[in-house]
Amino acid sequence: MAEVTEAASKLSLGETVYIDEVGGSDDNSGVESSPLKTAIKALEKFGDNAKILVKKDDEGFKDISGAALKKAKKGLELQQKKLKKQQEQLEKQASQDKEKAEEHAKMLERAKAVVLKEDASLPKAEQIKIRDSVASRGKRVKVSGWVHRLRVQGKDMMFAVLRDGSGYLQCVLTGNLCHSYDAITLTIESTITVYGIIHPLPEGKTAPDNHELVVDYWELVGKAPEGEEAFNSKVSSEADPSYLLDNRHLVLRTETYASIFRARAKVIKAFRDHYESRGYTEVTPPCMVQTQVEGGSTLFEFNYYGENAYLTQSSQLYLETCLPALGDVFCLAESYRAEKSHTRRHLSEYSHLEAEMAFVSFDQFLERLEDMICDTIDRVWADAPTRELIEQLNPTFQPPSRPFMRMKYADAITYLKEHDIKKEDGSYYQFGEDIPEAPERAMTDQINRPIFLTHFPAHIKAFYMQRCPDDREVTESVDVLMPGVGEIVGGSMRMDNLDELVAAYKKEGIDPTPYYWYTDQRKYGTSPHGGYGLGVERFLAWLLNRYTVRDTSLYPRYPGRCAP
């Protein structure tokens, strides 16, 4: 850099300027050791009196030709005219912007003088939720909510779509109602209260519920920021996913996510309605435990008054203890897995729907599981508003047909070989190996229908799973696989023989002492029984066609994220 500065100081107007059309740069000084690239730049910097030498090849610097000099002068002239025009346009724009700013400032000052008052002669407005707006047509009503969309039409009309969580309502403001300071400065996500009458829209016009509220008075409750802090600046589809998760509290306000969590609420209600209709009892097991269910490596450990304790991986063991007292039971609770997994179907905290059933065979167990999934979908599908949400989020969804495909683990290994689905190292999966997520999903997506994948080898499943009576190397177990998302349910028959369970503890290296209450289920009147766990977020990802389970969790938790 010092060399360039020193070279530049040696070159003054009227002296020789060097141009290297191959290796030069118009950021250089123009001396021989730091040549420019173009003749236009030489003329611009040093004028017509400069002696210009040009280097085009290995022959070195030569006087610029007359034609090249003429072309450069013409190019410089055009460039200067263009720059002048751009400068004039910038000055004109700046002048217009200044005029607009001054006019806007005057308008704001005038707007401050506009005072809105409710007409006391009008009927008293009845406060309603937007969900009641169709039934409230023709009456004067009062509605409070957030400004979801905003449009100004001309000088005397504004359209605001209001949202209150129960629906959307288009409101039209005219005259002085849109001339006040609050109206002129109104922003998306501000909260307002509007008064007026709801009228059906004429043919050809559209709005939520095909009507609009003609406002006769309104009040600003809370103004949302504008500029860089405006809602649309904070939340956009192009934003980085991590940024959107940091601003999840705002993302939830968008129509897509509001629809997801409204659908989620209806699905959870449908689960509960199914179980109630089938005679199950809902229970609420503890989340703080001192035993493991799915292996110690995925436990979240914490200090519980000086003792080691864990966040539960599953409520299964507690549900089993309820069978003798309550019969078939279920729970919907949070489960926690300390897996350092960043896949699109894993969460560290998720909603776990679990059920246990007494005195069932494995075939009956599978029938009940299939009935739960299909009946829940049927209930959701039969509810028109919920079906509309699902069709909005997943237009191609069709309820699954029964029966689900039954496929044994051994047949899945054969399928993977026959369809050339291999491991990362290029080899085929062998019987006895766990089938990871990727090949499992590839198989499910190819088959493109729900699958009951059954009879897994005992050594790759949990210690409590019942072994098949005709083949003790495999278990009466099942994973439910859905196209597009993979496994959404895992379940099995449970060991009902006391000696077998004690042997399983020993084989797994588990101290049976803390499990005495679980072992007692085989001691005080054992029974054949089975159960399953369904990941609600995975179920919803399948139903609503979401790419990741993070979309179906209100505030997703996974490695590296425990906020907001």
Side-chain angles (χ1 to χ4, degrees), residues 442-474:
M443 177 182 73
T444 308
D445 290 348
Q446 284 181 14
I447 294 171
N448 198 31
R449 58 180 290 201
I451 302 170
F452 276 162
L453 188 58
T454 65
H455 298 88
F456 289 86
H459 69 273
I460 64 172
K461 283 296 184 180
F463 71 91
Y464 51 76
M465 291 191 177
Q466 182 73 286
R467 298 189 181 222
C468 292
D470 56 347
D471 184 354
R472 305 297 289 174
E473 295 301 311
V474 298

Side-chain angles (χ1 to χ4, degrees), residues 351-380:
S351 297
H352 207 174
L353 179 72
E354 298 183 87
E356 293 290 323
M357 299 155 284
F359 297 104
V360 292
S361 66
F362 187 48
D363 285 339
Q364 290 172 326
F365 164 75
L366 294 179
E367 288 169 5
R368 291 208 195 176
L369 177 53
E370 183 177 271
D371 176 53
M372 183 275 293
I373 294 171
C374 292
D375 182 58
T376 298
I377 293 296
D378 289 345
R379 290 172 185 273
V380 168

Side-chain angles (χ1 to χ4, degrees), residues 406-417:
R406 264 69 165 171
M407 175 187 280
K408 291 186 177 181
Y409 165 89
D411 296 328
I413 293 293
T414 301
Y415 182 96
L416 296 178
K417 289 180 181 177

Side-chain angles (χ1 to χ4, degrees), residues 233-254:
S233 298
K234 301 277 280 185
V235 176
S236 72
S237 57
E238 294 79 27
D240 181 87
S242 181
Y243 175 84
L244 291 177
L245 284 168
D246 288 339
N247 290 278
R248 186 72 160 190
H249 59 294
L250 298 179
V251 171
L252 294 176
R253 301 181 182 205
T254 63

Side-chain angles (χ1 to χ4, degrees), residues 267-325:
V267 168
I268 287 174
K269 180 180 184 298
F271 280 135
R272 286 195 163 101
D273 288 346
H274 164 80
Y275 286 118
E276 183 177 355
S277 72
R278 303 304 194 262
Y280 290 68
T281 300
E282 183 172 6
V283 295
T284 52
C287 285
M288 297 185 290
V289 302
Q290 291 185 307
T291 51
Q292 66 185 52
V293 181
E294 300 293 339
S297 63
T298 65
L299 287 166
F300 282 107
E301 186 174 353
F302 64 95
N303 184 303
Y304 185 75
Y305 303 111
E307 296 183 280
N308 288 335
Y310 314 97
L311 295 177
T312 185
Q313 302 161 314
S314 165
S315 298
Q316 173 205 320
L317 306 188
Y318 293 96
L319 291 183
E320 289 187 53
T321 68
C322 297
L323 292 175

Side-chain angles (χ1 to χ4, degrees), residues 4-30:
V4 173
T5 305
E6 186 180 348
S9 68
K10 295 177 181 178
L11 185 64
S12 58
L13 294 178
E15 294 191 8
T16 302
V17 183
Y18 292 85
I19 296 171
D20 184 343
E21 293 184 349
V22 177
S25 169
D26 282 343
D27 291 329
N28 288 344
S29 61

